[in-house]
Amino acid sequence: MRRRMPVLIALVLIGIVLVGAGILGWKVAERYLPTKEAANLDEVFDCEEGKVSIFLNNELRKEKALYVDNQTYFPLDWVNAYLNERYYWDSVEQKLVYAMPDQILSATAQSEGSDGKKLLLLEGENVYLSAGLLIQYTDLRMELFEASEHKRAFVDSLWESEERAVFRRDAAVRELGGAKSPVITTGQKGEEAVILERLDKWSKVRTVDGCIGYVSNRHLGSVQTVEQVSSFVQPEYTHISMEEPVCLVFHQVTNQDANNNLETLIAKTEGVNVVAPTWFSLKNNNGEFSSLGSISYVEKAHELGLQVWALLDNFSTDVNSKTLLTPTSVRQRLIQNLISEAKRLNLDGLNMDFEGIREEAGVPYVQFLRELSIACRREGLVLSIDDYVPTESTLFYNRKEQGTVADYVIVMGYDEHYEGGEAGPVASLSFVEQGIVDTLREVPKERLINAVPFYTRLWTESEEGLRSKALGIRAAQNWVNDNQVELTWDENLGLSYGEYQTEGQLQYLWMENAESLRKKAELVEKYELAGIACWKLGLETEDVWAAIQPLQ
């Protein structure tokens, strides 16, 4: 018995060592050997019953497409925001409208494609476009995995070069970089993967079966760069362009008698080649407008070598721009009325001066401009559009789209300060230049015109508070002369300042004159713009025309 004890003890010790080694080995294996645990694909793809997960440029979106009758439909709001803003939904007439450069296309919930499937779906107030309708008019690539339990759509709107590599062997594609991350799919030997991000040991890839995850670099072959080439044919927008810089004057016409002043007023100008009379004013929300148009006026302007671009405004309190412009039939009625009047008067162009519209009317307004541009293009009419200096609150005017569909965009480089606000100049030089620079981010320089003021504001401070009134350059100069006001030039503002103190009140102004307008005209030259516009004819002194003549 005593002889057996050492042997038993040795065996026990050996057993303990082996068990310990086994446990240690298991611990090591657990730590370092790759896991085969499958990822939860419902969570990976954020799946919902009857819906399709959307990947835009390889990023999973929170928005979902619908899967109905074996077809994928994308939410219109999402399409407008990220892919193509030109799909316009007429919520009044329940119609989808798409404006091409030369025609207007439309569809309803009953419209079908060549395959007999619906082009769009309505779900409450939400509109969904079929994948086929989306890709037909939008520059993108699309992969649909509709047969999968986890339905998903990959939409790529970027055309940058891609890095790709082939799997050297079958390899797990994981949720995260690391052997212990759950497996999303298996990349098959010989299959190609798009490399989205390359790290030291792992790469984020997109596989042919529509999965995005991480794979060890040692499982990938050499990386190749592949250029993406679009076969999409972009719509071509043609534009009318004057052969010389535009020098436009707005002629405010408030009655028929004012039409008779054209020749007298133009005789005092120099270099003007376009006149924009304020003839047309919207009357109501039915597409009707009043007209002070005169055939004899146009004939006289043509004799004087001037083009006539009649202006339409929305200043009537009886007009709600959203109510007016949302329905397609009303937009078309307004456009047809405008074109009919333009042809009757033998106009050269139209000028849209829609001011003070609210953001809710922005999309219908831009759609109106698209559709109006088609009619103008067809009739050979110049289309110009007046815009504020860009601010965050006016982004919905969509100057980029305006610069695409219109012949000219006119930035109104004035009203920096106005009645009811803080005192200050109407158009300081930095304000004007910033307005030009900001607009040029969206509008090509060959289609941008800068408008300058032929007026200033006389500010009055008294016990009653602060008030102001607009004075034309001539009237402002008379105020300066009558009160023997000394003007001091401010180089930073590009304006002269003067003030007049009387008992109980202080009056002052920042003077617009030939000197300040020359500075503004130099900005037009500096940025190689299409020309200059002036508000308004008759307020100026004759010397201002020589000041802006370098443009000619």
Side-chain angles (χ1 to χ4, degrees):
M1 188 68 180
R2 291 178 179 175
R3 292 177 181 173
R4 293 177 184 171
M5 285 299 295
V7 175
L8 291 173
I9 292 172
L11 291 174
V12 170
L13 292 174
I14 291 171
I16 293 172
V17 170
L18 290 174
V19 170
I23 293 172
L24 180 61
W26 178 77
K27 291 288 187 181
V28 171
E30 184 183 47
R31 182 173 181 181
Y32 294 104
L33 288 181
T35 184
K36 295 182 180 179
E37 178 190 356
N40 184 333
L41 297 187
D42 286 340
E43 295 180 357
V44 169
F45 296 118
D46 190 23
C47 294
E48 293 182 29
E49 183 69 26
K51 295 189 178 180
V52 180
S53 298
I54 303 173
F55 287 81
L56 175 61
N57 298 319
N58 299 307
E59 294 292 334
L60 180 62
R61 304 293 308 182
K62 64 180 180 180
E63 300 87 352
K64 295 287 186 293
L66 298 183
Y67 189 69
V68 178
D69 293 335
N70 300 317
Q71 183 159 248
T72 298
Y73 294 86
F74 292 89
L76 177 59
D77 288 346
W78 178 79
V79 169
N80 286 156
Y82 296 103
L83 296 175
N84 188 338
E85 64 184 354
R86 290 181 181 152
Y87 293 98
Y88 174 82
W89 177 247
D90 179 345
S91 58
V92 175
E93 299 176 1
Q94 297 287 288
K95 180 187 300 185
L96 183 73
V97 182
Y98 196 88
M100 300 288 284
D102 57 353
Q103 63 178 320
I104 300 172
L105 309 173
S106 63
T108 67
Q110 288 71 46
S111 299
E112 296 180 346
S114 57
D115 57 1
K117 295 180 179 179
K118 299 291 186 183
L119 293 178
L120 58 142
L121 293 178
L122 302 184
E123 191 178 77
E125 295 183 357
N126 298 316
V127 183
Y128 293 82
L129 305 187
S130 69
L133 184 58
L134 172 57
I135 203 167
Q136 185 173 359
Y137 299 104
T138 311
D139 189 12
L140 53 80
R141 309 185 304 283
M142 185 185 299
E143 273 192 283
L144 300 175
F145 296 87
E146 297 170 323
S148 171
E149 178 186 353
H150 305 93
K151 291 176 174 52
R152 53 200 183 275
F154 282 82
V155 179
D156 296 287
S157 61
L158 303 178
W159 292 95
E160 301 168 347
S161 60
E162 288 182 347
E163 289 189 336
R164 299 180 185 175
V166 171
F167 285 102
R168 296 178 184 273
R169 59 180 67 85
D170 292 356
V173 179
R174 303 178 181 279
E175 283 191 68
L176 300 171
K180 293 304 180 182
S181 181
V183 178
I184 297 175
T185 189
T186 299
Q188 303 296 315
K189 178 181 179 180
E191 286 182 347
E192 192 173 56
V194 177
I195 299 177
L196 306 179
E197 182 181 7
R198 196 166 180 84
L199 307 174
D200 290 339
K201 295 182 180 180
W202 294 80
S203 288
K204 186 178 183 181
V205 300
R206 172 170 151 184
T207 62
V208 294
D209 61 347
C211 295
I212 292 178
Y214 290 83
V215 65
S216 173
N217 287 338
R218 60 192 174 87
H219 296 319
L220 296 174
S222 58
V223 177
Q224 304 293 326
T225 299
V226 178
E227 298 296 329
Q228 298 296 310
V229 180
S230 173
S231 60
F232 183 80
V233 179
Q234 293 285 357
E236 182 180 355
Y237 289 86
T238 59
H239 300 90
I240 299 174
S241 179
M242 295 185 66
E243 295 180 355
E244 59 185 350
V246 176
C247 185
L248 177 150
V249 289
F250 291 101
H251 181 198
Q252 189 171 33
V253 177
T254 57
N255 54 59
Q256 285 290 349
D257 290 341
N259 284 322
N260 301 324
N261 298 330
L262 174 66
E263 189 170 10
T264 301
L265 292 172
I266 287 295
K268 301 175 183 179
T269 69
E270 184 179 347
V272 174
N273 52 22
V274 179
V275 61
T278 60
W279 277 346
F280 305 153
S281 295
L282 289 168
K283 293 169 56 177
N284 51 43
N285 296 324
N286 298 319
E288 298 173 336
F289 59 90
S290 60
S291 172
L292 293 170
S294 163
I295 293 175
S296 60
Y297 180 107
V298 177
E299 291 174 345
K300 176 57 66 176
H302 287 167
E303 289 176 10
L304 297 171
L306 303 174
Q307 288 195 20
V308 181
W309 301 354
L311 179 149
L312 172 69
D313 70 53
N314 66 332
F315 300 163
S316 170
T317 55
D318 294 327
V319 173
N320 179 294
S321 296
K322 181 183 179 184
T323 302
L324 167 70
L325 299 176
T326 295
T328 301
S329 61
V330 179
R331 288 196 310 277
Q332 285 301 305
R333 185 182 308 128
L334 173 57
I335 290 169
Q336 289 166 8
N337 291 342
L338 282 170
I339 296 301
S340 177
E341 185 70 350
K343 292 170 72 173
R344 183 184 75 83
L345 296 170
N346 194 26
L347 297 177
D348 304 285
L350 294 170
N351 175 258
M352 298 296 105
D353 188 29
F354 280 57
E355 300 184 29
I357 65 174
R358 297 179 178 178
E359 186 170 1
E360 63 185 16
V363 171
Y365 171 61
V366 174
Q367 181 65 16
F368 164 67
L369 296 177
R370 291 189 189 106
E371 295 174 6
L372 177 60
S373 78
I374 297 170
C376 287
R377 204 171 288 116
R378 185 179 298 132
E379 300 296 335
L381 293 167
V382 175
L383 174 59
S384 62
I385 304 168
D386 303 335
D387 279 303
Y388 298 116
V389 165
T391 60
E392 285 293 324
S393 63
T394 62
L395 293 178
F396 61 87
Y397 274 81
N398 198 345
R399 295 165 182 83
K400 182 178 181 181
E401 191 72 351
Q402 289 187 29
T404 298
V405 304
D407 298 301
Y408 292 105
V409 172
I410 301 174
V411 56
M412 299 182 289
Y414 38 76
D415 284 345
E416 179 181 4
H417 295 88
Y418 44 83
E419 175 69 25
E422 295 180 354
V426 166
S428 67
L429 198 61
S430 60
F431 171 81
V432 174
E433 183 164 20
Q434 193 62 54
I436 292 172
V437 170
D438 290 344
T439 307
L440 282 173
R441 292 190 176 99
E442 299 183 283
V443 178
K445 63 182 181 181
E446 61 270 17
R447 290 198 282 281
L448 182 60
I449 296 171
N450 186 65
V452 298
F454 281 174
Y455 70 95
T456 187
R457 282 196 168 275
L458 178 64
W459 298 88
T460 301
E461 291 182 15
S462 66
E463 292 182 355
E464 298 175 356
L466 177 68
R467 64 184 189 277
S468 76
K469 66 177 179 178
L471 295 178
I473 292 176
R474 183 181 291 106
Q477 188 60 58
N478 290 338
W479 178 83
V480 169
N481 295 339
D482 291 346
N483 294 290
Q484 298 181 340
V485 174
E486 182 179 351
L487 295 176
T488 304
W489 177 256
D490 187 319
E491 187 66 31
N492 291 327
L493 295 178
L495 294 163
S496 295
Y497 174 80
E499 61 181 40
Y500 178 63
Q501 180 76 57
T502 60
E503 185 175 350
Q505 71 176 20
L506 172 66
Q507 291 187 299
Y508 51 92
L509 54 68
W510 286 267
M511 185 72 179
E512 290 286 356
N513 53 24
E515 189 174 13
S516 67
L517 291 170
R518 179 179 291 109
K519 292 289 186 182
K520 294 176 176 63
E522 288 171 354
L523 291 177
V524 174
E525 286 190 307
K526 175 181 176 180
Y527 291 99
E528 300 178 328
L529 305 186
I532 196 167
C534 312
W535 178 268
K536 63 180 178 172
L537 183 63
L539 295 183
E540 79 282 6
T541 51
E542 292 186 24
D543 59 345
V544 305
W545 299 109
I548 64 174
Q549 282 319 292
L551 287 169
Q552 310 301 318

